[in-house]
Amino acid sequence: MKKIHYLLTAAAGLALSGCATGGNIDDVNQLRAAHVQGGTPFTQALAVEYRARMNHEADDEHEWNDAGWYARKGLRAAQGEVVLPSEVGVGGADINRWGTLGPVVNVRRGLAPPLLAARGRLMAFLDGGGRERSPAIAASAQTFFDCWLEEDWEPDDDTQCRAEFMRLETQFTVASTAATTTTTSTTAAARVVNTFQVFFDFDRSNIAETAARIIDQAAASAKQGKPTRIELTGHTDAAGPDAYNQSLSERRADAVKQQLVRDGVPANEITTVGVGKAKQLVPTADGVREPQNRRTEIIFH
């Protein structure tokens, strides 16, 4: 992940080029050319997610070791294998890049506890039927967990993957809760998730790729459950003036509505409202840019 911020000598440059021409680049090219088919919806989504991370590492970061790691995971998923998120190992107290990226990734001792806890929650969701109920959410969450693990292995100042995993965790927590809710129906009717959280970048109301997948899941759930009303509530974080945030929250709700309509949900079943800074998912002081508060909540009635 971390870019090289110092000048390489000619010899070091040659060594780096060697890394890019070995097995790593072969694996990258294989996954780029792979046709993802067969397997399950989860393994297909996982292969696509790993390929996206691989392309970022190879094309944007020029980190071929990291790209190769994602590529090998993606190739296995593309063949229909249920690949697990890498395990968290505990390295030294102050040594960066302890060992290599693999099935077990060692991080500095002080960075391990939150990763171990997060992997436990993720595995509970995956093994509890999350792969089958919510394949897109499950695949994204696993990929961003591995990315968080890789960031801390380096370690990297970039915390984007950790933040994205935390956002996705609200989705698979909702999915898990819905799946364990008892029903009074005498038939084994399929359970439908009735709450979704769609997150946004700072000061933005456009639908990012991850958000679009969440909305797709919501649209599919709406078609299955046939709610009488779908309520969208836009929110912002606590940074900026109240009036601006009110308008931004309304735009976020409208953006989600437009995407739901494109996904086949009738517009007359959807209501939108913006509440600005109010009703924060993560309570903060005024002025704090909390990513999990930049959202639109979807509720089925």
Side-chain angles (χ1 to χ4, degrees):
M1 294 288 295
K2 186 174 292 182
K3 293 181 182 296
I4 299 173
H5 295 296
Y6 49 86
L7 293 176
L8 295 171
T9 63
L14 289 173
L16 183 61
S17 297
C19 292
T21 56
N24 288 319
I25 197 168
D26 291 340
D27 292 333
V28 167
N29 286 335
Q30 285 185 46
L31 185 55
R32 281 177 169 164
H35 296 287
V36 180
Q37 55 188 359
T40 65
F42 170 74
T43 60
Q44 292 171 9
L46 191 62
V48 171
E49 292 285 349
Y50 277 137
R51 179 156 57 192
R53 292 309 309 173
M54 175 200 75
N55 286 335
H56 172 73
E57 294 293 339
D59 299 336
D60 301 329
E61 302 288 352
H62 309 293
E63 289 278 6
W64 287 94
N65 284 333
D66 300 358
W69 181 57
Y70 288 115
R72 287 183 285 278
K73 285 185 163 239
L75 285 168
R76 290 162 56 199
Q79 294 168 359
E81 180 181 344
V82 178
V83 181
L84 297 179
S86 287
E87 296 185 30
V88 182
V90 182
D94 57 3
I95 298 178
N96 296 348
R97 298 200 179 205
W98 186 284
T100 59
L101 292 170
V104 179
V105 178
N106 293 313
V107 298
R108 292 190 318 195
R109 190 173 301 134
L111 299 175
L115 282 162
L116 288 166
R119 189 179 188 277
R121 297 190 301 272
L122 174 61
M123 289 305 301
F125 168 64
L126 295 174
D127 291 343
R131 297 182 183 94
E132 294 75 26
R133 289 193 308 273
S134 307
I137 294 174
S140 292
Q142 175 168 328
T143 303
F144 280 107
F145 171 80
D146 277 340
C147 179
W148 172 13
L149 181 57
E150 179 235 319
E151 287 175 344
D152 279 4
W153 169 72
E154 294 187 324
D156 197 333
D157 294 335
D158 187 355
T159 60
Q160 178 183 359
C161 287
R162 175 176 180 168
E164 192 62 34
F165 174 82
M166 294 299 185
R167 297 179 197 180
L168 287 164
E169 187 170 12
T170 66
Q171 301 298 324
F172 69 69
T173 299
V174 167
S176 296
T177 301
T180 56
T181 300
T182 57
T183 177
T184 57
S185 173
T186 57
T187 61
R191 291 176 174 86
V192 178
V193 179
N194 62 5
T195 303
F196 295 83
Q197 302 285 351
V198 179
F199 293 94
F200 294 83
D201 292 330
F202 178 72
D203 197 26
R204 294 289 185 271
S205 59
N206 59 295
I207 304 298
E209 182 178 354
T210 300
R213 288 196 292 269
I214 299 301
I215 298 171
D216 291 345
Q217 290 261 340
S221 189
K223 293 172 186 176
Q224 179 184 358
K226 302 186 184 304
T228 59
R229 181 166 57 90
I230 300 173
E231 181 180 299
L232 310 181
T233 305
H235 302 259
T236 70
D237 60 26
D242 290 350
Y244 180 83
N245 280 313
Q246 177 61 35
S247 175
L248 178 59
S249 68
E250 293 170 2
R251 295 198 302 274
R252 286 173 173 168
D254 287 338
V256 174
K257 177 179 179 178
Q258 292 171 19
Q259 184 65 43
L260 283 170
V261 171
R262 282 193 288 270
D263 284 346
V265 178
N268 60 2
E269 295 180 0
I270 304 172
T271 62
T272 63
V273 64
V275 295
K277 301 178 183 179
K279 300 181 181 179
Q280 295 179 337
L281 187 64
V282 179
T284 70
D286 194 43
V288 175
R289 297 183 179 184
E290 170 53 52
Q292 293 193 61
N293 290 334
R294 303 193 289 262
R295 63 194 172 99
T296 289
E297 185 176 41
I298 304 173
I299 300 178
F300 297 163
H301 296 279

